[in-house]
Amino acid sequence: MMNLFEYILINCLRKARFIFALVVLNNNVFAKDCILNIYIAANYLANDTANSFKSKYDCRVEQNFFNENDEMLAKMAAGASGYDIIVPTSYAVDSLIRMGKLEKLDETRLPNLKNIDPQFLNPPYDNGNQYSVPYAYDNVMLAYNKDIFKRLGIKADSWAIIFDPKYLKLLKGKITVLNSQRNVFAAALLYLGKDPNSTKRKDLDAARNLIERAKPYWAKFDSDTYYRSLLRGNIWVAMSYSVDIFKTIADQKLAGQPVTIEAELQREGNMYELDNLVIPKTAENIDKVYTLINYLLEPSSAIELSAATGASIMNLPALKNINPELKQIDWIYPKNMTKMHSFKNYDPKTRVYVNEVWLELQLS
């Protein structure tokens, strides 16, 4: 038989357990941290922007990185989920739409879309911007060791540098090209005077033959560490992304490195990767997703992106307020956009063929 003290003690313990369970439940349901996962290339989001978004909206931006769009597409095709925003380039947007992976956008929730330069809206891969909004663009060109090029008496103003035996013999083992089938084929096609988006078999075969002849002179296909190799002096010329080279030159100056890196567009033309913000169908916190996309379209966010990464922005109010010296760098803001080409999606037959050729080139 329980005495009164034992009875009171047992009931107090039961109530304490009940209150503890409610506290745990409330924490799980109502106090869950807000985290938005963005799938993006490295060095493509300013830390200041991510931090200010967290401060203003109490929501953390978690970055997940991919090196090339084909890598991201393969992952999405295999059923990857957990991403709230993806930042793909032009042809990859088209592929994601065809896969049925993207949500249609509600533009009424993106008032800052008005800040984007109209020439970058309504692209052929997403007419009417039903699924994507422009974020920034990144140019593909040659970066090189200035001192060595001066000593060798060569200029980097042509794709001949990585395809013509006259230059290949001088630079053997000191060249890298991006581990990107689209960029390597586009450079070869431009050098041959062809459409960089050509799907004609004779054009693609001509590009393949050119690449096969040049490949023995290249050190490797490299999209990950080539800029470090340039900085160390191990590589003398590299097919490069402008954002990588912007950061490399900044690091070089900060560290007082003796190697001098410069970059240049090629006279045959260059590719630029117009990158976009899209919402995958697996995204969960849609309200916060729209808030983040709209925040990234703010002039202040675009200015921070430009200053931190050297990305080429198309936010008109922001362009009036970025560092004027930056706008004078031709490989960041090309003066002749008619010689800049964006990627178009391959039809399925061409995609299969180029994938097979690319695999053979990498294994040979």
Side-chain angles (χ1 to χ4, degrees), residues 244-254 261-263 331:
D244 287 339
I245 299 307
F246 174 84
K247 178 113 177 18
T248 302
I249 291 173
D251 289 346
Q252 167 201 318
K253 292 177 180 176
L254 191 64
I261 305 301
E262 289 197 353
W331 50 269

Side-chain angles (χ1 to χ4, degrees), residues 200-269:
K200 296 176 182 176
R201 185 62 62 89
K202 65 177 183 179
D203 291 347
L204 294 171
D205 285 344
R208 174 187 182 158
N209 292 335
L210 182 66
I211 295 165
E212 282 180 330
R213 290 195 297 271
K215 183 175 175 283
Y217 295 90
W218 299 342
K220 60 178 176 176
F221 297 99
D222 185 4
S223 297
D224 304 331
T225 62
Y226 68 90
Y227 46 91
R228 296 193 196 104
S229 299
L230 273 170
L231 198 53
R232 296 189 192 106
N234 299 330
I235 291 299
W236 296 346
V237 61
M239 183 187 288
S240 308
Y241 292 116
S242 54
V243 291
D244 287 339
I245 299 307
F246 174 84
K247 178 113 177 18
T248 302
I249 291 173
D251 289 346
Q252 167 201 318
K253 292 177 180 176
L254 191 64
Q257 291 275 4
V259 173
T260 303
I261 305 301
E262 289 197 353
E264 194 165 348
L265 297 174
Q266 284 55 64
R267 59 176 179 262
E268 299 90 353

Side-chain angles (χ1 to χ4, degrees), residues 120-165:
F120 293 100
L121 296 174
N122 300 311
Y125 56 84
D126 181 22
N127 189 36
N129 291 102
Q130 297 181 74
Y131 296 91
S132 65
V133 295
Y135 176 61
Y137 63 97
D138 188 12
N139 303 307
V140 179
M141 74 293 174
L142 293 178
Y144 59 96
N145 185 309
K146 178 184 176 182
D147 297 328
I148 288 175
F149 267 50
K150 184 177 180 180
R151 174 165 57 83
L152 293 174
I154 56 179
K155 294 183 66 178
D157 64 347
S158 169
W159 289 113
I161 293 295
I162 63 170
F163 291 120
D164 189 327

Side-chain angles (χ1 to χ4, degrees), residues 28-249:
N28 287 338
V29 174
F30 300 109
K32 185 178 179 181
D33 288 342
C34 173
I35 300 173
L36 292 178
N37 286 289
I38 184 168
Y39 198 21
I40 190 170
N43 188 36
Y44 215 26
L45 178 66
N47 289 333
D48 287 348
T49 303
N51 292 335
S52 60
F53 181 80
K54 183 178 186 298
S55 298
K56 187 171 183 178
Y57 296 102
D58 195 25
C59 192
R60 180 159 56 90
V61 179
E62 187 74 32
Q63 297 185 66
N64 307 266
F65 301 122
F66 60 86
N67 291 317
E68 294 292 344
N69 279 272
D70 290 335
E71 171 193 334
M72 177 272 295
L73 288 173
K75 194 169 181 179
M76 294 303 295
S81 60
Y83 304 121
D84 298 295
I85 297 173
I86 305 175
V87 188
T89 198
S90 51
Y91 76 92
V93 172
D94 191 3
S95 292
L96 289 169
I97 293 171
R98 291 171 186 271
M99 288 183 205
K101 297 290 184 179
L102 302 183
E103 286 285 343
K104 274 198 171 184
L105 297 178
D106 179 357
E107 287 191 12
T108 64
R109 303 175 75 172
L110 298 171
N112 285 328
L113 193 57
K114 69 180 184 296
N115 294 327
I116 300 301
D117 186 337
Q119 71 172 309
F120 293 100
L121 296 174
N122 300 311
Y125 56 84
D126 181 22
N127 189 36
N129 291 102
Q130 297 181 74
Y131 296 91
S132 65
V133 295
Y135 176 61
Y137 63 97
D138 188 12
N139 303 307
V140 179
M141 74 293 174
L142 293 178
Y144 59 96
N145 185 309
K146 178 184 176 182
D147 297 328
I148 288 175
F149 267 50
K150 184 177 180 180
R151 174 165 57 83
L152 293 174
I154 56 179
K155 294 183 66 178
D157 64 347
S158 169
W159 289 113
I161 293 295
I162 63 170
F163 291 120
D164 189 327
K166 177 173 68 173
Y167 301 108
L168 292 172
K169 289 172 184 176
L170 293 171
L171 301 166
K172 185 175 183 180
K174 301 295 184 179
I175 303 167
T176 62
V177 299
L178 294 171
N179 189 17
S180 163
Q181 56 163 276
R182 291 305 304 265
N183 276 304
V184 175
F185 266 83
L189 288 164
L190 284 167
Y191 175 66
L192 293 169
K194 309 289 186 182
D195 175 3
N197 285 298
S198 177
T199 59
K200 296 176 182 176
R201 185 62 62 89
K202 65 177 183 179
D203 291 347
L204 294 171
D205 285 344
R208 174 187 182 158
N209 292 335
L210 182 66
I211 295 165
E212 282 180 330
R213 290 195 297 271
K215 183 175 175 283
Y217 295 90
W218 299 342
K220 60 178 176 176
F221 297 99
D222 185 4
S223 297
D224 304 331
T225 62
Y226 68 90
Y227 46 91
R228 296 193 196 104
S229 299
L230 273 170
L231 198 53
R232 296 189 192 106
N234 299 330
I235 291 299
W236 296 346
V237 61
M239 183 187 288
S240 308
Y241 292 116
S242 54
V243 291
D244 287 339
I245 299 307
F246 174 84
K247 178 113 177 18
T248 302
I249 291 173

